[in-house]
Amino acid sequence: MPTIHQIVYVTLITAFLMLLSIKTGYRDKARDLADRYKVKNKFFGLVSEAIECDLCLSFWLSLVIAIFFMLITIDCSWVLVPIL
C-alpha cells in the first residue's frame, strides 16, 4: 500500500477518535483521573499533561493506531506513519 494512503487512513482515524473523545467527555475524564493520581506518582502528571496537549495526544494515538494496523497487515512501514 502506498505510504500516502497509510498516512491518510491513520490521520482520519486519529482525528475521528480525538473529536469523539472531546465530544463525549472521555478526554476530560481521563485528564481528571490522571490529575487525581498525580500526587502518588509523577508518571500520571506526565500523562495528564500529554492528554491536555493536542499535539502529544494526536501523536501517541496515531502511533497506537499504526501499531494496530502493523499487527493486522504484518507490514512494518506503518510504524513510520506517525512521524510523517
Side-chain angles (χ1 to χ4, degrees), residues 10-11 14 57-67 81-82:
V10 171
T11 304
T14 301
L57 184 62
S58 65
F59 172 76
W60 290 111
L61 187 58
S62 65
L63 184 65
V64 168
I65 293 167
I67 289 173
V81 171

Side-chain angles (χ1 to χ4, degrees), residues 6-24 27 54-66 69 81-82:
Q6 292 175 340
I7 293 170
V8 169
Y9 293 149
V10 171
T11 304
L12 288 174
I13 293 171
T14 301
F16 172 74
L17 290 176
M18 284 187 65
L19 286 173
L20 183 69
S21 70
I22 291 170
K23 292 291 184 184
T24 57
R27 183 176 178 183
D54 288 335
L55 180 67
C56 302
L57 184 62
S58 65
F59 172 76
W60 290 111
L61 187 58
S62 65
L63 184 65
V64 168
I65 293 167
F69 278 130
V81 171

Side-chain angles (χ1 to χ4, degrees), residues 37-48:
Y37 291 109
K38 179 171 46 174
V39 176
K40 296 178 184 177
N41 191 344
K42 286 194 170 213
F43 173 74
F44 288 110
L46 296 173
V47 170
S48 173

